[in-house]
Amino acid sequence: MTLLGVSLLVTGCINTGEVKTPKSTQSFEPKRAYDTSVSKVWKAANDTLDENRISVVSSDQAAGRIQTDTVAGDNYISVLGGGTMTRYSYNIRVTGEEGGKTKLFVICKYESMHQVGSSTRPYMDVGPEHPDKVKNYENWLYEQIEKKL
């Protein structure tokens, strides 16, 4: 039996592979506080979003907030029909701290939508049920930003 066949037998669904999910380096832990200016962290965050084609819905540099549009995540199809689509978005905050440090906060919202036959449920926040996926998406973005600092 092939790996695909075993996957279908065990889970009843398979990842369609249509989307390449970003992955952080396994041992990566974000610093979250940086010895650089707010403007450098702000630029690094925006450049990272641009380079990874993540659209910004709202941006307020004075308040230090960026909200992204949703990004397509993994999609799964069921052998019984229907499937699950996932997506994620980011809320990013950049703040100046005492001593010239800058703090960066990245919060990922992870959602899924289920379809069975012609019935489709709306996207719902499933982050609490998938903390490892949320942490991966957050760490991936931290890692990409930190490479620019």
Side-chain angles (χ1 to χ4, degrees), residues 34-47:
Y34 308 91
D35 290 320
T36 191
S37 69
V38 169
S39 62
K40 283 186 182 179
V41 175
W42 182 263
K43 181 175 178 359
N46 278 285
D47 288 350

Side-chain angles (χ1 to χ4, degrees), residues 6-142:
V6 171
S7 176
L8 285 170
L9 182 63
V10 172
T11 65
C13 59
I14 186 167
N15 186 330
T16 63
E18 294 172 357
V19 177
K20 185 172 176 9
T21 303
K23 301 239 185 285
S24 65
T25 304
Q26 189 170 0
S27 61
F28 177 79
E29 284 298 323
K31 294 178 186 175
R32 294 188 173 93
Y34 308 91
D35 290 320
T36 191
S37 69
V38 169
S39 62
K40 283 186 182 179
V41 175
W42 182 263
K43 181 175 178 359
N46 278 285
D47 288 350
T48 298
L49 295 172
D50 286 346
E51 288 171 12
N52 289 282
R53 303 178 60 97
I54 300 174
S55 299
V56 173
V57 172
S58 67
S59 177
D60 183 344
Q61 189 170 1
R65 294 183 184 273
I66 302 169
Q67 182 179 359
T68 72
D69 200 356
T70 56
V71 179
D74 293 326
N75 297 320
Y76 301 91
I77 55 172
S78 170
V79 294
L80 303 174
T84 301
M85 295 180 1
T86 66
R87 67 185 186 183
Y88 59 96
S89 62
Y90 293 106
N91 283 304
I92 302 164
R93 181 126 192 259
V94 180
T95 62
E97 299 293 317
E98 290 182 25
K101 288 192 179 273
T102 300
K103 284 197 173 181
L104 173 66
F105 302 94
V106 173
I107 299 170
C108 175
K109 183 176 183 180
Y110 182 66
E111 301 174 304
S112 73
M113 185 261 305
H114 301 285
Q115 181 177 9
V116 179
S118 62
S119 174
T120 302
R121 297 183 188 148
Y123 276 98
M124 297 180 65
D125 184 356
V126 294
E129 292 92 38
H130 300 279
D132 290 344
K133 288 189 181 215
V134 170
K135 182 178 180 183
N136 173 67
Y137 284 125
E138 289 174 352
N139 282 356
W140 173 81
L141 188 58
Y142 275 116

